[in-house]
Amino acid sequence: MKPDRIYNISIAGCGKVAHLHAQAIQNIPNARLAGVWSRTPKTAKDFASHYKTRSYPEIAPMVFENETDLVIVCTPHPFHKQPAVEAAEAG
């Protein structure tokens, strides 16, 4: 990581473990929680409100609109593939 650059990190999945990741991101000086997505839109909105970021109804716009550098997939294990593939395809 370059110390003079701010890295945009987004989270896919807003369950229990996502809170640990969001808190960790907030403690990294050159990182920013850029956006969140959840399979349940209300969950994403509540999570985003708590961490003062934006929720997205789809992964691709989350990646494009906030120039995401990294997506942390926090969905339940059976649901990892879809957000990982969508994030990779979005860049």
Side-chain angles (χ1 to χ4, degrees):
M1 289 177 61
K2 297 178 182 178
D4 58 336
R5 179 171 179 226
I6 301 296
Y7 291 86
N8 292 317
I9 303 172
S10 295
I11 295 177
C14 298
K16 288 185 220 176
V17 75
H19 289 278
L20 297 174
H21 288 284
Q23 291 163 8
I25 292 164
Q26 290 180 328
N27 289 318
I28 300 171
N30 59 330
R32 173 177 86 91
L33 180 56
V36 298
W37 168 88
S38 176
R39 293 179 299 134
T40 307
K42 182 175 178 352
T43 301
K45 286 180 184 179
D46 292 346
F47 191 96
S49 176
H50 181 81
Y51 291 101
K52 298 176 178 53
T53 192
R54 182 171 171 199
S55 66
Y56 290 85
E58 296 176 16
I59 292 172
M62 177 178 73
V63 172
F64 286 129
E65 291 176 18
N66 64 42
E67 299 178 355
T68 293
D69 296 296
L70 170 73
V71 175
I72 301 173
V73 178
C74 294
T75 55
H77 294 291
F79 303 105
H80 280 351
K81 182 180 176 183
Q82 178 249 335
V85 169
E86 286 186 33
E89 288 175 346

